[in-house]
Amino acid sequence: MKFFSFALVALPFLAGCTEMPAPSQPPAQPAPSAAPASFDANRAARNFVSVVNRVEPVAERECRARLPRANCDFLIVVDDRRGEPANAYQTEDRSGRPVIAFTLALIADARNQDELAFILGHEAAHHIKEHIPRTRESATFGALVLGTLVGVGGGGDAAVEAATRVGAGIGARRFSKEFELEADSLGTIIAKHAGYDPLRGAQYFTRIPDPGDAFLGSHPPNSDRIETVRRTAANM
């Protein structure tokens, strides 16, 4: 499939390397450093196009093999909003088509095609592993439980509404670290089958701040992610 450049607006739900909102908490995974002064925009664009052309067919084959009834027609886009941090994420459009977006800063920050391939495989894996509906279900359950508890405890409408929002946020984060490691593992397989080196690609984690093992954090420690890639690649 082709990839396009546009500003993503009002897409319904996100999975992957974006942050879910949480009360009074800063983002758990700050963006990596900006591109160096010697950055070659044309070379970065060529790398991205090459990776999309090689990885997308592999991701779609993997998707159809694991989810024969799912929409596996990936749309790869560039989120070209100025000032957006280095990031990639998977979402769906209004028809349910899976969308994978790379910000310009991430394309610039990647040091080689292996990093781009691993990240693309990781985001495709979020869709193949059905992380969006699983996160949505967990968020709904969290909202229902906490809202009900506050209501039963005598809370008014405003308190119940606030508890519902908090419960949704907690529920959405419940399995987020597990989902990231699942996506790292399947992303390793996709990148490897596309002819890239996922271990070299996972070196991207050594250049971004480590979120550690924060309670209700959205991402696992970088060391756990690198070990997941290493173990998966060794078993292939």
Side-chain angles (χ1 to χ4, degrees):
M1 298 298 102
K2 304 298 183 181
F3 73 91
F4 303 90
S5 174
F6 64 93
L8 297 175
V9 179
L11 291 170
F13 209 90
L14 303 177
C17 299
T18 53
E19 295 296 329
M20 297 295 294
S24 304
Q25 287 188 350
Q29 186 164 335
S33 58
S38 59
F39 167 64
D40 185 336
N42 289 331
R43 180 177 181 181
R46 289 195 299 271
N47 283 341
F48 183 67
V49 171
S50 178
V51 166
V52 169
N53 286 338
R54 288 174 58 180
V55 174
E56 185 182 14
V58 175
E60 292 186 348
R61 285 198 300 271
E62 192 72 30
C63 180
R64 293 187 178 101
R66 294 172 182 253
L67 298 173
R69 297 184 179 181
N71 188 335
C72 296
D73 184 14
F74 287 103
L75 175 64
I76 315 298
V77 303
V78 177
D79 182 344
D80 58 3
R81 293 173 294 176
R82 296 295 176 181
E84 287 297 302
N87 195 14
Y89 49 90
Q90 186 259 316
T91 184
E92 297 173 351
D93 66 14
R94 291 178 178 84
S95 70
R97 183 181 183 183
V99 179
I100 298 174
F102 282 69
T103 64
L104 292 171
L106 179 55
I107 295 172
D109 191 68
R111 290 185 176 175
N112 51 63
Q113 291 191 14
D114 296 294
E115 290 186 353
L116 289 170
F118 172 74
I119 294 168
L120 179 53
H122 170 97
E123 298 304 332
H126 277 303
H127 175 69
I128 298 170
K129 289 290 187 177
E130 300 182 291
H131 288 162
I132 283 180
R134 290 165 66 186
T135 298
R136 187 181 292 120
E137 290 174 2
S138 184
T140 300
F141 179 76
L144 177 63
V145 168
L146 195 54
T148 299
L149 287 174
V150 171
V152 170
D157 291 345
V160 171
E161 182 179 353
T164 299
R165 289 197 300 269
V166 172
I170 293 173
R173 287 176 179 264
R174 183 181 179 190
F175 300 111
S176 60
K177 293 180 183 179
E178 175 186 333
F179 289 171
E180 289 300 317
L181 294 177
E182 286 182 356
D184 288 337
S185 180
L186 182 52
T188 297
I189 294 171
I190 292 171
K192 182 75 172 178
H193 286 169
Y196 293 98
D197 183 350
L199 288 173
R200 188 169 183 238
Q203 289 301 301
Y204 186 76
F205 293 132
T206 67
R207 306 203 316 278
I208 61 176
D210 194 335
D213 198 16
F215 178 64
L216 290 181
S218 63
H219 289 68
N222 290 344
S223 60
D224 289 357
R225 305 187 71 176
I226 293 172
E227 174 58 23
T228 295
V229 173
R230 186 202 65 76
R231 185 172 58 252
T232 302
N235 290 330
M236 290 181 68

